[in-house]
Amino acid sequence: MKYQVDQNGFYGNYGGAFIPEALQPIIGQLQKEYIDIINQADFQAEMQQLLKDYVGRPTPLYFAENLSKKYNTKVYLKREDLCHTGAHKINNTIGQILLAKRLGKHKIVAETGAGQHGVATATVCALMGMECIVFMGALDIERQAPNVARMKMLGAEVRPAMSGAKTLKEAVDEALLYWIENPDDTFYLIGSAVGPHPYPDMVSRFQSVISEEIRKQLLEKEGRETPDYVVACVGGGSNAVGAFYHFLEDETVNLVVAEGGGRSIEELETAATSFVGKDGVLHGSKTLFMQDENGEPLEAYSISAGLDYPGFGPLYSHMKELGRAEFFAVMDNEAMQAGLNLCKDEGIIPAIESSHALAILDKKQFKETDIVVINLSGRGDKDLDNYRSYFNF
Ligand SMILES: *Cc1c(COP(=O)(O)O)cnc(C)c1O
């Protein structure tokens, strides 16, 4: 299994758990127990029930006839935009909160950048009656007022991170500090396939329901379980690994990653990690990320708040090294146009993150007989202001 973690949490040369001494005991416990807990029958039963009745799974695999005609290939959209709360993130927060419950924790701490993960976390905390503290950069709190309001309505406490640039990095630092100080009753709920082992693998397993469903749905619609291509956008990599998971070891399935190219790769106004990243340790694992000459993470930029992360999860660094996926930097303007096209062609308003994946149809030639599955990670309601000011509606 080339694309699964080893006992130490490494994907080849990447991953691991580079954490402060104070976190060793709690993360060590998690590393030992997570797979056993996830595989227990009652855990699976409770998770499957919630995914079905609360999240609304299985999400449709929609044959996009108009897009298919336009691009002369077979395009399917995996409709994660139809999940409760509007994106795939809830698949993971459901899994992790059930795990936290089994570990006897009653408080959840999380960090959020744009607020989407904060909302998905606050949602499941409300559902499970758990206390929820979300750290958010003070600047992000100003920029993302609707999501802050959602979190508060859902009963979460939003704590501003006041240091440094007052964005995601500072929120991560403060959330970790809080966890170190409250290890006994608190669980740290990470929102993407990043962080120290076992988080990348744990998040991948919880999101893998996406590709599990794709296989079943393709078998029904096409008589075979595997597509020729799976396309997804990557911020930290959770929706993409969910869509890729059950195809990772089958190299007849081509995997395509759409990164936030931003405004300019040369000027480093970008989030295209695979193009400008270097090896180092970010958020507790070894991976590629954008860094200065001292190895400090640089501020990433993308028009999409969910993609402007300076690195990606260790699995992607490994896939890049082995050539398992093809990586594209999708520029802001290309993504915005692809998002608008989906509205006009199919009557679906996508999240700007997902628009990056859709833009691959303009950047890469597919054959008429190819089956191309694009993971539509989220819906565009949250992005209306952004679309509006971009297109002057
Ligand atoms: C958060 C988010 C992303 C990016 O995160 P990943 O972990 O890379 O999936 C992509 N799409 C949507 C809709 C999101 O909310």
Side-chain angles (χ1 to χ4, degrees):
M1 301 285 262
K2 259 158 94 177
Y3 300 98
Q4 295 288 332
V5 283
D6 65 20
Q7 309 93 294
N8 300 315
F10 277 87
Y11 299 93
N13 295 316
Y14 297 98
F18 300 84
I19 48 178
E21 189 115 15
L23 285 176
Q24 220 80 45
I26 4 177
I27 291 193
Q29 185 201 9
L30 200 56
Q31 289 168 350
K32 269 203 227 78
E33 297 182 17
Y34 79 107
I35 290 183
D36 285 343
I37 297 178
I38 293 173
N39 288 336
Q40 281 164 11
D42 69 322
F43 183 96
Q44 281 295 327
E46 191 174 0
M47 186 171 81
Q48 296 308 334
Q49 187 76 46
L50 286 170
L51 288 177
K52 177 165 176 278
D53 294 336
Y54 189 72
V55 175
R57 305 206 70 89
T59 59
L61 183 69
Y62 166 66
F63 176 63
E65 196 172 341
N66 298 331
L67 275 191
S68 297
K69 282 209 185 97
K70 182 167 165 182
Y71 291 98
N72 198 29
T73 189
K74 281 183 164 178
V75 182
Y76 282 91
L77 302 177
K78 182 58 173 161
R79 299 291 308 275
E80 294 303 294
D81 60 313
L82 297 176
C83 290
H84 178 45
T85 70
H88 67 289
K89 286 195 171 70
I90 189 102
N91 303 325
N92 167 52
T93 57
I94 289 271
Q96 283 194 55
I97 203 154
L98 291 177
L99 189 67
K101 225 169 69 168
R102 297 297 194 287
L103 290 167
K105 314 288 181 182
H106 54 81
K107 206 184 329 178
I108 298 294
V109 65
E111 85 287 328
T112 193
Q116 293 303 114
H117 172 57
V119 171
T121 303
T123 300
V124 296
C125 286
L127 177 70
M128 292 292 163
M130 290 219 204
E131 197 180 325
C132 181
I133 302 173
V134 180
F135 285 92
M136 191 167 182
L139 186 63
D140 288 336
I141 289 182
E142 274 174 42
R143 293 191 291 199
Q144 308 288 345
N147 277 339
V148 175
R150 287 186 185 102
M151 285 184 266
K152 288 184 175 167
M153 282 190 79
L154 293 160
E157 183 192 335
V158 181
R159 288 207 193 166
M162 308 294 287
S163 58
K166 301 188 175 70
T167 62
L168 182 62
K169 180 177 178 298
E170 291 72 29
V172 172
D173 292 343
E174 298 209 13
L176 279 172
L177 207 59
Y178 183 91
W179 199 24
I180 290 172
E181 286 164 2
N182 301 272
D184 295 331
D185 61 352
T186 303
F187 185 85
Y188 186 16
L189 208 161
I190 293 187
S192 190
V194 301
H197 177 61
Y199 281 97
D201 183 49
M202 192 162 72
V203 173
S204 302
R205 286 167 187 260
F206 290 141
Q207 291 292 359
S208 71
V209 63
I210 299 173
S211 48
E212 194 183 315
E213 289 174 5
I214 292 173
R215 293 187 77 100
K216 281 192 202 133
Q217 292 166 323
L218 269 185
L219 184 61
E220 252 169 48
K221 291 172 196 290
E222 293 283 346
R224 59 172 164 123
E225 288 183 37
T226 54
D228 297 291
Y229 291 89
V230 185
V231 181
C233 66
V234 166
S238 72
N239 87 86
V241 71
F244 295 169
Y245 195 85
H246 291 282
F247 305 114
L248 281 169
E249 308 292 338
D250 178 355
E251 308 222 6
T252 66
V253 180
N254 299 288
L255 307 177
V256 180
V257 164
E259 293 189 83
R263 273 191 290 259
S264 160
I265 294 177
E266 296 72 41
E267 308 282 321
L268 289 180
E269 286 184 85
T270 185
T273 304
S274 71
F275 292 83
V276 295
K278 296 193 183 74
D279 283 0
V281 171
L282 179 69
H283 295 162
S285 68
K286 190 176 165 208
T287 193
L288 289 169
F289 65 96
M290 297 166 55
Q291 47 190 280
D292 65 17
E293 53 289 358
N294 302 316
E296 290 298 317
L298 291 170
E299 194 91 0
Y301 166 79
S302 160
I303 193 164
S304 153
L307 301 187
D308 73 354
Y309 179 71
F312 46 35
L315 171 63
Y316 297 90
S317 301
H318 181 53
M319 289 202 290
K320 171 96 203 301
E321 190 170 71
L322 298 190
R324 177 66 186 94
E326 198 175 351
F327 291 76
F328 286 88
V330 175
M331 307 311 285
D332 286 356
N333 61 320
E334 297 172 319
M336 295 305 273
Q337 194 56 52
L340 186 60
N341 289 347
L342 188 72
C343 303
K344 305 227 156 115
D345 293 333
E346 295 286 349
I348 299 171
I349 302 178
I352 297 178
E353 290 85 354
S354 317
S355 298
H356 286 71
L358 292 160
I360 295 299
L361 290 170
D362 294 310
K363 295 176 80 75
K364 184 175 167 66
Q365 187 72 46
F366 296 100
K367 292 202 296 269
E368 191 175 351
T369 51
D370 280 341
I371 295 175
V372 181
V373 175
I374 301 177
N375 200 37
L376 200 66
S377 55
R379 58 177 171 249
D381 307 37
K382 68 181 177 63
D383 295 320
L384 277 195
D385 279 348
N386 220 339
Y387 279 123
R388 248 166 69 185
S389 62
Y390 188 87
F391 290 111
N392 284 315
F393 290 138

